[in-house]
Amino acid sequence: MADPTTGLRRPLIGGDKSYADVTREVCAPLERKSPAAWWMTISAALAMLVVGVVAVTYQLRTGIGTWGLNNTVGWAFDITNFVFWIGIGHAGTLISAILFLFNQKWRTSVNRSAEAMTLFAVVCAGIFPVIHMGRPWLAHWVIPYPNARGPLWVNFRSPLVWDMFAISTYFIVSLVFWYVGLIPDLATIRDRAVSKVKKAVTNFFSFGWDGSNRTWHRYETIYLLLAGLATPLVVSVHTIVSWDFATSLIPGWHTTIFPPYFVAGAVFSGFAMVLTLMLVVRKVLHFEDYITLHHVDAMSKVIIATGGIVALAYATEFFVALYSGNEYERFTFVNRALGPYAWAYWIMVGCNIGIPQLLWSKKVRSNVAAVFVISLLINVGMWFERFVIITISLSRDYLPASWATYSPTTIEIATLVGSFGLFFTLFLLFSRFLPMIAIGEVKGVLKYGRPDGKEPRE
Amino acid sequence: MNRRLLVATFGDEEDILAATRRVRETGYSIVDVFTPFAVHGLDTAAGVKPTRLPWVCFALGLSGAVAKLWYQIWTSATSWPVNVGGKPVNSVPAFVPVTFEIMVLFAAVGTVAAFLIVSRLRPGRRPAHVYDRTTDDRFTLVLLQDDAGFDVDAVRRLLQPFGLLDLSERTEIPPEKPPRGSLLVRPGYIGALGGGVILFTLLTYLTPRDFTEPNLMVLPGMVRSVPFDPFAANDIFPDGKTLRMPVAGTIARGYYPIDSSKSVEIADEVRSRYSKLSPGERSRLDERALQVFSTFCQPCHGTSGAGDGLIVGHGYPPPPALTGVSALRLKDGEMFNLITYGRGNMPALGHRVPREDRWLAIRHIRQLQQKAVTTAEGEGP
């Protein structure tokens, strides 16, 4: 997309800024008093969080019977939420690791927030399996440590154990990746800090960073290594999540397409969430020059691509059910589209296959409000995708005698609300206390596509 | 020893690159270059040797993977082998996902730790070199004035074309005593922390405890669930009983309803079905019948059903002959019930032999009886 008059590529950052401008503008939200809007949104988020805390406390005291589960549908709302949140997280790693390996320079404006989103989403996701254990005070039993019970080890052949390892590794590696990226920016805040307390705190957390060339050299090396490690990791995490289902024998779950299908769905939903958050952030924090319309455009294209993979996966599932000649498999898919939960299925198809097609139009992609609404609808659709896969498949399996329907109780809905409260609370705190844009990385691409700079060296 | 430094400041990425390259070519010794972001190519320009961190990453990843694979094999196959769904205890393909995760974990966390150690970065460390706006928009080149003939003006002339903003001399005075360090490494702090840990451990051990009592239980409601006594009164149900009758018109799984009023029709239907079987299917049924008979009947009743099985040779009371008169007189249904529920010394086989197999065994016994009767008639006068 070179400019025909100058032969230069389009600049990544708008507004002809100097390095000092970048520092000042990105740090500005941390240095001014919290605006009233921030207090209002964090109050709302905290209220949602309180709802969730009350619900979780009640269900821990009373038991899993407070949920709408029954003998037939043993996994429903909580596992849906778990897979939903884990999926959200994947876009952060995709932006920070995979786009880094593919040298997509535009990622620098959004990677910090996207990685933070990953961390917070994984935190929200982790809550659900732990509550589902029923006796979460024994949650440490999933860790294979030498114990006084034999020692009795975990069953390393179980996908649920793999899941525990995958998600805790994912959280730790994402945290480390994110923090390594933060160190130089914390040093920037330290050097700008006026108050003594802030200086001491940022000095503690910036590890004494001084911008030495030797350190930068090593820093770049480990950043590349971490990106290389995080890329297969992110694919493995949702693959293993999909194995939770695929290794069982429930029609609708027992398919080999699940790993790629889940990974594509995760990236799809994650990018929708990144867009939702970024469109708000650029407006509220005045980052229009950093998160430009080109960023929105690029992310919309990723959504079209991954949404296409998801649509293909839906079609493949139906084709395989037909082609397999397996009556249970065939019934499951007819039941999805026409059974008692057909409304959920058609919400999923509408939001995940129908709505994103609007993004093919350049006009829609450059309309921020439209993209925002589409991203919200995709989030809804992807939540319903997990609900469709998990609940509908379980509710009608082999024996008609054991068929059952499921509907969530108030407690379950309150828990979901609480997880959103936790997510937004963490994100709002992040926006208040840490730079939302990777200052160092943005400075590195500032000259990109400008007449006084030159083409980026690779 | 004090070092005399020359600090040159630039305002642009291109300038610092070109200036560093020129300074190095001219032969000055570069102490370090400080930049607000990673300037590509500056490492080679300043002559920094490539880092060996990738090797650290490789070694850590490899050791993580090997250790975790060994751990999984050891816990699953050696320490306490548990049969899970009849799968081999040492199912290596199932150990791949966790091995992979731990490899990534070790490699990622270990590499970052190694990076922090070699770069001497740690929480609370004060930056060793402080130059104005290094973390904002200034690029600083620090040279060592390594001999008395060091000409500052020559350097200034050399750097002027690269947009030099400022050139100043500095004397680096090595600290007389080691820096106080962060809160975490102060001796007093470590002492207080260590003392606290020791005190806590001592208190924990010295607190009198009763080991026969269970530990403190959090939310015990779910640890001890309270089921109803099956025979106790229960006001939840209208009839006041805890035990429930099956719902009308239902059958418990595993039970087979028999409508005795239609036994003749059923027998007719079975006979007509049997007559339609192909010879191959019939011989398969015969084989199965023989297999069932030799597994469950033959040890006591003998190969020919004469009541002379293996167990008789071991001193067990001989069972009745299947070819005897009383057995000949038994109807199929009676024989079926006898096999199902047992009688006298004969055990009940209903729960061990499937329904179809019991009928097949009866069929085999009938054939044996036929043979015995024919032989007896042949031997007769």
Side-chain angles (χ1 to χ4, degrees):
Chain A
M1 266 181 268
D3 185 325
T5 52
T6 59
L8 284 170
R9 285 183 166 235
R10 197 162 47 198
L12 291 169
I13 310 294
D16 203 20
K17 291 181 201 309
S18 68
Y19 299 129
D21 291 339
V22 174
T23 317
R24 188 167 39 75
E25 288 175 13
V26 177
C27 291
L30 319 179
E31 288 162 359
R32 57 175 174 240
K33 272 178 92 175
S34 310
W38 186 85
W39 283 111
M40 271 154 61
T41 41
I42 196 152
S43 308
L46 279 171
M48 284 161 79
L49 180 58
V50 168
V51 168
V53 170
V54 170
V56 171
T57 313
Y58 174 73
Q59 74 202 33
L60 288 185
R61 285 194 64 88
T62 319
I64 297 295
T66 51
W67 294 356
L69 301 179
N70 46 53
N71 262 349
T72 308
V73 186
W75 278 9
F77 218 70
D78 56 331
I79 303 295
T80 301
N81 297 337
F82 160 71
V83 182
F84 172 75
W85 278 121
I86 279 286
I88 295 289
H90 279 40
T93 321
L94 187 100
I95 290 172
S96 58
I98 300 180
L99 294 187
F100 179 77
L101 294 182
F102 283 126
N103 222 337
Q104 294 297 305
K105 301 260 178 219
W106 58 270
R107 62 178 271 288
T108 50
S109 301
V110 285
N111 72 337
R112 168 72 42 75
S113 316
E115 284 172 43
M117 181 195 80
T118 294
L119 283 178
F120 305 150
V122 175
V123 168
C124 292
I127 290 171
F128 289 98
V130 173
I131 307 174
H132 197 147
M133 288 175 180
R135 288 188 266 168
W137 49 93
L138 300 180
H140 58 282
W141 282 11
V142 301
I143 300 164
Y145 63 96
N147 53 64
R149 301 185 295 275
L152 176 64
W153 305 106
V154 297
N155 175 16
F156 279 112
R157 303 170 203 92
S158 160
L160 300 178
V161 167
W162 304 345
D163 220 11
M164 191 281 293
F165 276 94
I167 286 161
S168 34
T169 301
Y170 185 46
F171 180 75
I172 295 168
V173 172
S174 301
L175 182 67
V176 167
F177 202 8
W178 183 67
Y179 198 82
V180 165
L182 258 177
I183 294 173
D185 289 0
L186 286 172
T188 303
I189 301 175
R190 171 198 66 200
D191 293 350
R192 286 174 65 85
V194 185
S195 95
K196 251 188 155 162
V197 177
K198 190 170 181 185
K199 201 156 199 113
V201 171
T202 45
N203 184 52
F204 183 83
F205 287 109
S206 62
F207 291 6
W209 180 272
D210 55 12
S212 152
N213 178 41
R214 286 194 181 83
T215 313
W216 273 120
H217 168 67
R218 295 182 188 122
Y219 176 90
E220 291 245 281
T221 309
I222 66 155
Y223 205 84
L224 184 64
L225 289 172
L226 284 178
L229 288 168
T231 300
L233 176 67
V234 71
V235 174
S236 85
V237 170
H238 227 60
T239 299
I240 290 176
V241 168
S242 80
W243 282 337
D244 289 349
F245 305 99
T247 55
S248 77
L249 291 173
I250 298 290
W253 286 10
H254 187 60
T255 54
T256 48
I257 198 181
F258 260 33
Y261 169 20
F262 269 51
V263 172
V267 173
F268 180 56
S269 68
F271 262 92
M273 189 57 113
V274 173
L275 268 177
T276 311
L277 294 174
M278 287 303 108
L279 292 176
V280 176
V281 165
R282 78 191 281 271
K283 186 88 200 145
V284 174
L285 298 181
H286 311 293
F287 284 159
E288 280 96 339
D289 284 337
Y290 297 91
I291 304 162
T292 61
L293 285 176
H294 306 313
H295 288 90
V296 179
D297 193 67
M299 288 193 272
S300 302
K301 284 174 184 166
V302 175
I303 284 187
I304 296 176
T306 49
I309 301 174
V310 169
L312 182 66
Y314 292 169
T316 311
E317 275 194 317
F318 264 82
F319 171 73
V320 170
L322 174 73
Y323 190 66
S324 69
N326 181 320
E327 55 179 314
Y328 300 108
E329 194 74 22
R330 209 178 294 174
F331 170 78
T332 295
F333 284 91
V334 171
N335 181 47
R336 266 189 200 175
L338 304 171
Y341 288 110
W343 55 273
Y345 179 80
W346 292 108
I347 290 178
M348 168 189 106
V349 170
C351 292
N352 292 351
I353 304 184
I355 300 286
Q357 305 312 321
L358 293 172
L359 293 172
W360 286 100
S361 146
K362 173 93 187 151
K363 230 182 199 164
V364 176
R365 286 204 305 272
S366 46
N367 182 338
V368 175
V371 174
F372 182 70
V373 172
I374 290 172
S375 74
L376 277 181
L377 286 174
I378 293 173
N379 283 319
V380 172
M382 283 308 292
W383 189 89
F384 272 100
E385 180 196 295
R386 279 63 177 250
F387 183 78
V388 163
I389 292 173
I390 296 170
T391 311
I392 303 187
S393 306
L394 276 180
S395 73
R396 294 194 161 182
D397 60 357
Y398 299 99
L399 281 174
S402 60
W403 287 1
T405 49
Y406 162 86
S407 55
T409 59
T410 323
I411 293 294
E412 286 173 286
I413 294 168
T415 313
L416 175 62
V417 169
S419 72
F420 272 99
L422 177 63
F423 180 77
F424 288 124
T425 306
L426 291 171
F427 200 81
L428 284 162
L429 288 175
F430 160 68
S431 76
R432 187 71 196 84
F433 294 107
L434 292 170
M436 297 203 75
I437 289 175
I439 306 171
E441 294 200 42
V442 164
K443 281 179 192 163
V445 300
L446 196 60
K447 294 287 177 66
Y448 187 90
R450 291 194 193 290
D452 56 337
K454 55 183 180 192
E455 285 293 281
R457 286 165 305 275
E458 304 312 344
Chain B
M1 203 186 81
N2 295 0
R3 293 200 297 179
R4 286 171 53 73
L5 306 177
L6 191 64
V7 179
T9 310
F10 301 86
D12 197 85
E13 153 181 32
E14 311 302 330
D15 296 341
I16 189 80
L17 255 176
T20 308
R21 216 169 272 144
R22 170 62 58 84
V23 162
R24 187 152 170 268
E25 281 161 7
T26 321
Y28 292 105
S29 45
I30 300 169
V31 174
D32 209 341
V33 193
F34 297 89
T35 55
F37 56 89
V39 177
H40 293 274
L42 191 59
D43 37 11
T44 41
V48 175
K49 271 191 234 147
T51 168
R52 281 164 298 181
L53 282 170
W55 290 104
V56 175
C57 178
F58 177 74
L60 285 166
L62 192 66
S63 52
V66 170
K68 191 65 204 182
L69 190 60
W70 169 81
Y71 189 66
Q72 289 182 90
I73 294 173
W74 178 74
T75 54
S76 310
T78 309
S79 172
W80 187 344
V82 176
N83 182 346
V84 180
K87 293 179 180 68
V89 285
N90 193 4
S91 32
V92 173
F95 299 157
V96 169
V98 174
T99 307
F100 171 79
E101 300 300 330
I102 297 300
M103 180 197 78
V104 170
L105 183 69
F106 271 50
V109 176
T111 309
V112 171
F115 159 71
L116 295 179
I117 293 167
V118 295
S119 309
R120 297 201 181 79
L121 296 176
R122 59 182 155 72
R125 175 224 192 200
R126 275 164 231 273
H129 301 266
V130 183
Y131 301 104
D132 269 356
R133 291 160 72 176
T134 320
T135 57
D136 184 6
D137 62 344
R138 285 292 179 264
F139 303 77
T140 313
L141 174 63
V142 182
L143 300 179
L144 183 65
Q145 304 192 20
D146 41 8
D147 58 57
F150 191 93
D151 185 0
V152 176
D153 286 326
V155 179
R156 189 187 300 276
R157 278 194 304 277
L158 185 71
L159 294 179
Q160 212 61 269
F162 302 109
L164 179 70
L165 294 177
D166 181 59
L167 191 70
S168 60
E169 288 188 64
R170 265 208 201 190
T171 310
E172 189 189 54
I173 303 160
E176 282 170 15
K177 55 177 183 180
R180 237 166 30 129
S182 74
L183 207 59
L184 274 179
V185 297
R186 268 182 224 167
Y189 193 80
I190 290 179
L193 204 71
V197 170
I198 292 167
L199 195 68
F200 180 79
T201 317
L202 275 177
L203 280 176
T204 314
Y205 274 95
L206 294 178
T207 311
R209 277 172 300 171
D210 182 359
F211 286 102
T212 59
E213 285 296 306
N215 284 334
L216 177 72
M217 247 181 262
V218 193
L219 309 176
M222 287 201 58
V223 177
R224 297 201 195 90
S225 69
V226 192
F228 293 118
D229 178 345
F231 295 103
N234 192 324
D235 54 4
I236 290 179
F237 300 111
D239 63 358
K241 295 175 190 165
T242 300
L243 281 181
R244 303 284 80 210
M245 290 296 286
V247 177
T250 59
I251 307 151
R253 279 196 200 151
Y255 285 82
Y256 190 79
I258 297 172
D259 187 354
S260 54
S261 65
K262 286 198 184 133
S263 55
V264 178
E265 286 94 325
I266 292 172
D268 283 346
E269 197 212 318
V270 169
R271 205 168 293 126
S272 81
R273 261 206 336 240
Y274 184 76
S275 65
K276 282 179 200 149
L277 291 181
S278 68
E281 283 167 324
R282 282 186 201 197
S283 70
R284 213 176 305 129
L285 282 183
D286 287 342
E287 266 170 44
R288 177 74 192 165
L290 178 64
Q291 195 191 346
V292 174
F293 181 84
S294 50
T295 310
F296 293 101
C297 316
Q298 187 179 302
C300 304
H301 292 285
T303 321
S304 61
D308 54 353
L310 262 177
I311 59 151
V312 180
H314 291 283
Y316 203 79
L322 294 176
T323 49
V325 182
S326 60
L328 276 168
R329 283 201 194 126
L330 278 179
K331 286 184 180 140
D332 284 357
E334 288 172 322
M335 201 180 273
F336 182 81
N337 275 358
L338 208 153
I339 296 171
T340 309
Y341 300 110
R343 180 192 291 173
N345 281 335
M346 177 163 167
L349 293 168
H351 59 289
R352 280 202 266 165
V353 188
R355 208 165 55 89
E356 299 285 330
D357 284 352
R358 271 175 269 156
W359 287 117
L360 283 175
I362 292 167
R363 188 179 134 76
H364 189 79
I365 292 166
R366 289 292 182 228
Q367 280 171 357
L368 288 179
Q369 288 173 344
Q370 197 92 43
K371 218 182 278 175
V373 170
T374 328
T375 324
E377 276 168 3
E379 278 170 3

